[in-house]
């Protein structure tokens, strides 16, 4: 999948978000080995130092761990992954609700619209 990085936000933060999304969506499964820094940096067309910085932050959070000679791996803590998934989803829902409220929608109208869309309506 293409890496669409936005120059308006820090690249390393966008890399972290992308890898987190890949983990919670199942692209990378618990215990999976991540590609090397150089491989992912080349794939994303970023400097390896930027990718290294993102990996270091993912390790700090515990989502990724490194084994000295074999590389970096996704945590096997499925509760942590589920918690991250719920947290990321909640952030998006909050953004959506805030945006809809700025457009003048009431909470009831927001719920009705979401329900209609979930049921296949326009």
């Amino acid at each position: 999948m293409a890496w669409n990085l936005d120059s308006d936000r820090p690249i390393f933060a966008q890399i972290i978000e992308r890898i987190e999304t890949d983990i919670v969506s199942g692209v990378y499964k618990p215990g999976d080995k991540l590609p090397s820094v150089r491989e992912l940096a080349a794939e994303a067309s970023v400097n390896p130092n930027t990718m290294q910085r993102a990996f270091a932050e993912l390790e700090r959070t515990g989502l990724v761990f490194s084994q000295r000679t074999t590389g970096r791996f996704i945590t096997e803590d499925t509760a942590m992954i589920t918690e991250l998934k719920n947290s990321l989803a909640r952030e998006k829902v909050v953004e959506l609700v805030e945006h809809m409220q700025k457009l003048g929608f009431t909470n009831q109208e927001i719920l009705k619209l979401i329900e209609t869309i979930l049921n296949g309506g326009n």
Side-chain angles (χ1 to χ4, degrees):
M1 184 182 338
W3 290 69
N4 297 319
L5 301 173
D6 180 4
S7 62
D8 292 342
R9 297 185 316 122
I11 299 298
F12 86 96
Q14 293 176 69
I15 292 168
I16 291 168
E17 290 169 4
R18 166 68 184 266
I19 293 172
E20 286 176 340
T21 299
D22 286 350
I23 291 169
V24 300
S25 69
V27 172
Y28 297 123
K29 297 188 180 1
D32 277 359
K33 184 175 193 257
L34 282 169
S36 72
V37 167
R38 290 194 185 284
E39 286 176 74
L40 276 181
E43 183 182 317
S45 300
V46 299
N47 185 303
N49 292 334
T50 303
M51 187 63 68
Q52 176 62 38
R53 183 175 177 196
F55 274 20
E57 179 60 21
L58 288 166
E59 282 186 51
R60 189 192 66 72
T61 66
L63 199 56
V64 170
F65 65 94
S66 60
Q67 290 185 339
R68 226 182 164 144
T69 58
T70 54
R72 288 187 175 86
F73 296 83
I74 305 303
T75 183
E76 293 182 3
D77 184 347
T78 55
M80 175 188 275
I81 294 170
T82 300
E83 186 178 317
L84 174 62
K85 183 176 188 173
N86 290 334
S87 174
L88 293 174
R90 183 173 175 73
E91 286 175 21
K92 294 299 180 187
V93 170
V94 167
E95 286 175 23
L96 171 67
V97 169
E98 288 174 352
H99 187 72
M100 296 292 290
Q101 288 170 336
K102 284 179 185 173
L103 292 173
F105 284 88
T106 65
N107 289 348
Q108 299 305 65
E109 290 171 326
I110 294 168
L111 285 171
K112 185 174 181 188
L113 180 59
I114 290 171
E115 192 174 271
T116 300
I117 291 169
L118 288 174
N119 290 326
N122 290 326

